[in-house]
Amino acid sequence: MNIIYYNDGEDNAYWLAGLRAALPHADIRLWLPGNDKPADYALVWKPPAGMLAGRTDLKAIFNLAAGVDALLGLGNALPANVPILRLEDAGMGMQMAEYATHAVLHHYRRFDEYARQAQKQEWRYLETPLKRDFTVGIMGLGTLGRQVAQALLHFGFPVRGWSRSRQSVSGVRCYAGRSQLDEFLEETKALICLLPATAETAGILSRDTLGQLAFGAYLINLARGSHLVEADLLDALDSGRIAGATLDVAAQEPLPPGHPFWHHPRVTITPHIAAATLRDDTVRQVTEKLLAFDRGEAVTGMVDRHNGY
Ligand code: NDP
Ligand code: OXD
């Protein structure tokens, strides 16, 4: 079995050692420009267009991440009819639950305000809202959104979820489709975005959406920068409609020097680290799926190119 591999920004020696140990009978090679020797499978994260263009020899492409927007963004450079599989959880669900819980609790318990008070040596109690009045809304009730929902339910927050098709998650009030978006947003005090980046979800965190949340709501974007209309968030922060935001992703990554988010007193920025792709969990999952797929068995995590995720 021949496998080509490209993993943007990762330690290739470390990853290749893990992959070769898990698939000892495969010939796994790091793809380099000009290398067009036939291959059965491609394992990729943000590959250059030249790697996959015209490769009708491939049986499947494995995306070494949950989001496939970068891969599908290759457009015609992506061979048609070659199945694409993405990572499902692979250790990211727990990390996402940790991050989202931290962000929600940090805001709910008013820790930023306590930090500002401490700078002024001010010892003053601030009231915490009742949990029942602090609804958390999760956009995207997929592999990661569900785990975030479960973590927040554990702390007693009312949790709502919104998805494309109707979902059912124990303890979560579920909404589906554009027709139920307004209802989902109203009364939401903390909005978490865990949607895939698709044509339908681009710019979904806009003036309109933010304007429908409870006044003074908090925004947590853990998905992709393309979901957020950044100027609309800055306006909503200025007007007080949005109390603050935690953003793990940005339209341009790394966030450019001088971007207003860097110094905004009510914006917390992290460098796309909410849930890292862990080598060992990833290698285990990809190996199991690849071998099952090769035997002709059904596997989960198949990407629907038409839907974009
Ligand atoms: P899934 O595909 O499992 O879940 C996606 C969810 O979004 C599903 O519930 C889906 O609905 C819903 N959805 C898709 N399109 C729409 C739409 N148009 N309207 C409403 N709901 C929609 O993805 P994951 O949970 O695995 O990952 C989600 C995203 O998180 C990834 O695409 C990636 O961008 C991001 N991510 C970010 C990381 C980070 O470190 N910041 C790390 C990992 C992922 P339905 O259930 O009906 O299909
Ligand atoms: C992913 C990511 O999509 O790390 O997996 O952003």
Side-chain angles (χ1 to χ4, degrees):
M1 181 190 287
N2 282 295
I3 299 177
I4 45 174
Y5 156 95
Y6 184 94
N7 202 351
D8 189 58
E10 295 290 343
D11 177 344
N12 290 323
Y14 175 68
W15 274 77
L16 284 166
L19 285 164
R20 287 176 178 142
L23 291 165
H25 304 299
D27 174 10
I28 308 175
R29 57 183 197 279
L30 175 67
W31 183 83
L32 295 168
N35 177 339
D36 27 3
K37 205 175 126 198
D40 302 301
Y41 294 99
L43 315 185
V44 298
W45 170 237
K46 292 190 176 169
M51 177 180 184
L52 300 172
R55 276 203 177 262
T56 46
D57 46 332
L58 291 174
K59 295 184 197 169
I61 300 168
F62 286 80
N63 185 59
L64 299 173
V68 288
D69 43 305
L71 186 58
L72 297 187
L74 292 178
N76 290 339
L78 203 54
N81 305 322
V82 175
I84 298 172
L85 294 95
R86 68 179 195 95
L87 286 187
E88 297 171 285
D89 189 350
M92 287 186 274
M94 172 80 86
Q95 297 176 69
M96 210 45 110
E98 289 165 1
Y99 187 114
T101 305
H102 173 269
V104 170
L105 289 176
H106 192 87
H107 177 65
Y108 171 73
R109 296 292 304 272
R110 307 180 70 170
F111 285 122
D112 280 335
E113 292 169 76
Y114 283 118
R116 282 194 284 273
Q117 285 190 180
Q119 279 176 354
K120 294 183 279 176
Q121 302 189 20
E122 192 177 340
W123 183 278
R124 188 162 62 90
Y125 169 79
L126 300 172
E127 204 162 324
T128 302
L130 292 174
K131 284 251 172 77
R132 65 165 184 261
D133 296 331
F134 198 90
T135 297
V136 180
I138 304 173
M139 301 178 99
L141 268 186
T143 309
L144 303 178
R146 283 167 180 260
Q147 292 186 65
V148 166
Q150 294 303 336
L152 289 162
L153 283 172
H154 175 74
F155 284 95
F157 292 105
V159 178
R160 298 177 170 188
W162 183 68
S163 51
R164 201 164 149 273
S165 57
R166 180 153 298 285
Q167 300 296 325
S168 165
V169 182
S170 175
V172 177
R173 190 181 291 185
C174 295
Y175 300 80
R178 283 280 169 166
S179 62
Q180 292 196 322
L181 180 59
D182 294 1
E183 208 187 326
F184 160 77
L185 293 169
E186 66 190 25
E187 292 168 32
T188 291
K189 288 274 174 65
L191 182 69
I192 300 174
C193 180
L194 272 169
L195 291 168
T198 67
E200 278 183 27
T201 62
I204 197 162
L205 301 173
S206 64
R207 183 184 307 270
D208 284 352
T209 325
L210 301 176
Q212 285 175 70
L213 300 170
F215 194 88
Y218 196 81
L219 174 69
I220 301 166
N221 187 14
L222 308 181
R224 288 291 185 266
S226 60
H227 291 128
L228 176 66
V229 182
E230 295 183 345
D232 287 1
L233 174 61
L234 288 167
D235 288 348
L237 287 164
D238 284 350
S239 69
R241 174 147 266 298
I242 294 293
T246 290
L247 308 173
D248 182 52
V249 287
Q252 192 184 332
E253 296 183 5
L255 191 67
H259 191 288
F261 287 160
W262 279 125
H263 299 296
H264 198 291
R266 284 180 287 128
V267 175
T268 301
I269 290 286
T270 52
H272 201 140
I273 47 75
T277 305
L278 306 173
R279 184 198 70 168
D280 291 355
D281 298 63
T282 301
V283 166
R284 198 174 311 118
Q285 181 172 123
V286 167
T287 304
E288 278 170 17
K289 284 189 185 178
L290 189 150
L291 293 175
F293 184 91
D294 207 60
R295 290 192 297 268
E297 296 166 14
V299 286
T300 62
M302 304 287 296
V303 172
D304 181 326
R305 291 194 193 203
H306 177 70
N307 290 339
Y309 69 102

